[in-house]
Amino acid sequence: MTEPDRDTPPEHPRATPEGTAPPAAPAGEPAAPSPLERLQRRYLEAQLRGDRREALRLIDEEGIARGHSVPTLHLHVITPAQQEIGRLWQQNVIHVAQEHAATAISQLVVSHLYRFLPVRPPVGRRLLVACAPGERHEMGARIASDLLEAAGFAVHYLGADVPVRDLVAHAVATRPDLVVLSAATGLCTSGLVEAVRALHAALGDQLPVIVGGAAFTEADTAPPCQLPDGVLQHGIDAPGLVALVCDRLGIPRPPAPDPVVQAAA
């Protein structure tokens, strides 16, 4: 197993600013990285070093202080950095302890950003968001929960690997208008199907349920779930999920996230 180079981490997927295409570079010259791309690189470096303070400083000083919105930082810094951490772990470039340390940093950062979320007035609808039974990867569901709350929904977020019995008990107690179940991998397929069926048995098959996450990103790799009719599957990003929930419940969509601020680094 090789240790990651702390000074020059491996190349990782780069985000494209919201609604724009990256500018074309002159022939033979690589495109200059945008401020967000540079921030993402430095954030990833801090994760690989296990440097929590530096990760927070970058998000505060190079992110919030330079005009980047919380959704922008979620989607163009934290999420792609986490995807790269997962890729490095899958390729045995980093070990499990490093992956856990890096993920713990992003959990800390997402919690820190929560207080900066711009929240629109309540829309009068309650949502239940949870990871499917057996699913321990919760970062995507957590970010989605924050953006749904920012859109005016009252969100009950239950976190990772929620047992079916407890998921149903909470749903019965809170009576959500819609349930979102997250699956980052195909390993939780049986638990996901069981959870949906149990929710419908307890609350009726008219309860809207959306299942999705990284496991559903590509149609040809989505887990072969035999879900009841009417259950929506999605492999879209968090803003796309917000739009889907709004459409399903007949709520006007919130304004699009602020455009990426291309401030000088």
Side-chain angles (χ1 to χ4, degrees):
M1 181 184 304
T2 60
E3 290 293 327
D5 186 335
R6 302 305 188 198
D7 295 323
T8 56
E11 285 294 320
H12 53 283
R14 295 177 178 177
T16 298
E18 298 159 355
T20 64
E29 295 183 16
S34 71
L36 271 181
E37 289 171 333
R38 290 194 292 272
L39 175 57
Q40 183 192 341
R41 283 176 176 268
R42 295 170 67 190
Y43 178 80
L44 177 61
E45 290 171 0
Q47 283 186 289
L48 291 172
R49 293 195 306 270
D51 193 338
R52 295 187 296 174
R53 290 187 182 277
E54 175 63 6
L56 281 170
R57 187 197 69 77
L58 286 168
I59 292 298
D60 276 344
E61 297 181 9
E62 306 297 328
I64 295 295
R66 291 179 180 261
H68 296 299
S69 69
V70 172
T72 291
L73 294 172
H74 280 158
L75 301 174
H76 296 285
V77 177
I78 299 167
T79 295
Q82 279 300 122
Q83 291 170 341
E84 176 63 5
I85 290 294
R87 187 187 71 81
L88 294 174
W89 173 73
Q90 289 176 338
Q91 295 183 355
N92 290 323
V93 177
I94 62 175
H95 51 67
V96 171
Q98 288 174 294
E99 186 272 336
H100 284 189
T103 299
I105 286 174
S106 284
Q107 290 171 337
L108 174 66
V109 168
V110 170
S111 295
H112 174 71
L113 287 174
Y114 179 80
R115 67 191 181 100
F116 295 105
L117 271 177
V119 179
R120 75 170 177 171
V123 297
R125 300 298 181 92
R126 182 182 297 112
L127 307 179
L128 177 59
V129 180
C131 294
E135 181 54 74
R136 297 181 179 180
H137 299 82
E138 65 166 316
M139 188 61 63
R142 187 171 183 178
I143 289 175
S145 294
D146 287 355
L147 297 191
L148 286 165
E149 186 169 327
F153 293 100
V155 180
H156 288 246
Y157 175 59
L158 305 187
D161 192 12
V162 182
V164 171
R165 180 178 62 183
D166 299 304
L167 174 68
V168 172
H170 194 86
V172 169
T174 59
R175 296 287 169 170
D177 295 289
L178 183 146
V179 175
V180 177
L181 296 177
S182 175
T185 70
L187 300 177
C188 59
T189 299
S190 60
L192 182 64
V193 173
E194 181 186 357
V196 173
R197 290 176 176 168
L199 285 167
H200 280 171
L203 296 172
D205 58 10
Q206 297 306 305
L207 173 68
V209 177
I210 297 176
V211 302
F216 296 87
T217 301
E218 301 294 339
D220 57 349
T221 61
C225 295
Q226 298 299 318
L227 293 168
D229 292 341
V231 175
L232 299 177
Q233 296 185 23
H234 82 89
I236 51 184
D237 59 15
L241 174 63
V242 171
L244 183 61
V245 170
C246 288
D247 292 347
R248 183 64 178 81
L249 294 178
I251 300 294
R253 294 183 180 185
D258 295 335
V260 174
V261 178
Q262 296 296 332

